[in-house]
Amino acid sequence: AQKVTQAQTEISVVEKEDVTLDCVYETRDTTYYLFWYKQPPSGELVFLIRRNSFDEQNEISGRYSWNFQKSTSSFNFTITASQVVDSAVYFCALSEAQGGGATNKLIFGTGTLLAVQP
Amino acid sequence: DAGVTQSPTHLIKTRGQQVTLRCSPKSGHDTVSWYQQALGQGPQFIFQYYEEEERQRGNFPDRFSGHQFPNYSSELNVNALLLGDSALYLCASSLTDTQPRHSYNSPLHFGNGTRLTVT
């Protein structure tokens, strides 16, 4: 069965600190997709990144970076120089592959609440 | 360019009643998925609609049903409401690419959700 674990329930940092959100996943599939979503208080889930299981290259987008390690089944997310606007719940998610692409059936973790204090 | 829109934003119902939630996908998207998010939890997949048919379903009872219209909008219906159905219901849309040997399902774009309270 597929499972996503986000062990950190809540993290509190001071603005400009770096913070890493952990994500560990379980799947028997050889091809799968991993995601990160941000959920601000408004409730809308905002897509941040999607990676497939064959692409283990780390990715950087501005202050965001992701570290994908198949050997440890982890897909961690780092925010550099955090800002108050980064305060939100962050979800890691996993989907199986179907026809070579990701399906819309995402398995989400329980989320990590990030609070960035000014 | 309008994103995913859901209505209503909030709803209060009594146990045993029925409810219908509505979703309009992002412009250019043809696939709609519904998720249930209980307080403090991650979203759970209910089902997905493409070409007006249910394509995938999560572990939800038959009390949860849906529909997709020719304009790609969708409805989620829940019958015989239980207290445990209280949650944020999220609609997500995407574009499904059916070209053989070239698979591209665009990432899900979510709406702001409908907060359902069952008393």
Side-chain angles (χ1 to χ4, degrees):
Chain A
Q2 296 183 321
K3 184 180 178 182
V4 174
T5 301
Q6 295 180 256
Q8 304 152 308
T9 306
E10 293 186 35
I11 300 177
S12 182
V13 298
V14 177
E15 210 169 17
K16 296 185 183 178
E17 283 186 23
D18 298 347
V19 58
T20 295
L21 309 182
D22 298 332
C23 173
V24 174
Y25 62 91
E26 296 175 30
T27 180
R28 294 178 183 171
D29 297 334
T30 54
T31 305
Y32 50 89
Y33 288 81
L34 295 164
F35 305 77
W36 275 95
Y37 279 85
K38 173 182 179 180
Q39 188 174 41
S42 61
E44 176 185 0
L45 282 161
V46 178
F47 169 77
L48 297 178
I49 189 172
R50 175 176 73 181
R51 302 302 297 275
N52 73 51
S53 52
F54 295 109
D55 184 1
E56 287 191 73
Q57 284 192 347
N58 291 333
E59 182 157 339
I60 298 174
S61 176
R63 297 184 297 106
Y64 295 170
S65 63
W66 291 269
N67 183 291
F68 176 27
Q69 292 195 342
K70 284 179 79 170
S71 60
T72 56
S73 296
S74 65
F75 186 44
N76 296 336
F77 172 33
T78 297
I79 301 175
T80 303
S82 59
Q83 300 175 2
V84 172
V85 294
D86 295 328
S87 297
V89 179
Y90 290 86
F91 289 98
C92 180
L94 167 71
S95 88
E96 62 185 8
Q98 192 173 72
T103 73
N104 287 351
K105 181 181 178 181
L106 270 58
I107 307 298
F108 283 85
T110 51
T112 297
L113 173 61
L114 174 64
V116 182
Q117 310 296 333
Chain B
D1 181 18
V4 178
T5 57
Q6 293 186 241
S7 63
T9 54
H10 293 84
L11 205 50
I12 299 175
K13 290 286 188 178
T14 303
R15 273 179 301 176
Q17 286 188 316
Q18 177 263 345
V19 68
T20 297
L21 310 182
R22 296 177 175 81
C23 172
S24 292
K26 178 181 167 64
S27 177
H29 285 183
D30 58 8
T31 302
V32 172
S33 302
W34 286 92
Y35 283 79
Q36 179 195 67
Q37 186 178 15
L39 201 60
Q41 300 297 313
Q44 285 195 298
F45 177 79
I46 303 175
F47 43 52
Q48 170 197 340
Y49 276 84
Y50 172 64
E51 293 185 324
E52 302 179 47
E53 289 186 12
E54 183 183 295
R55 299 292 178 163
Q56 268 193 303
R57 189 178 182 92
N59 189 24
F60 279 82
D62 292 344
R63 298 187 298 109
F64 290 77
S65 63
H67 190 77
Q68 185 179 33
F69 299 95
N71 67 353
Y72 308 121
S73 67
S74 175
E75 288 182 350
L76 164 65
N77 301 293
V78 187
N79 294 323
L81 285 167
L82 303 174
L83 294 179
D85 295 332
S86 295
L88 179 67
Y89 288 84
L90 294 162
C91 172
S93 72
S94 61
L95 175 64
T96 296
D97 185 342
T98 57
Q99 294 297 318
R101 296 187 179 277
H102 170 70
S103 197
Y104 173 79
N105 292 330
S106 65
L108 295 178
H109 287 253
F110 284 82
N112 288 343
T114 294
R115 173 73 62 187
L116 172 64
T117 302
V118 182
T119 62

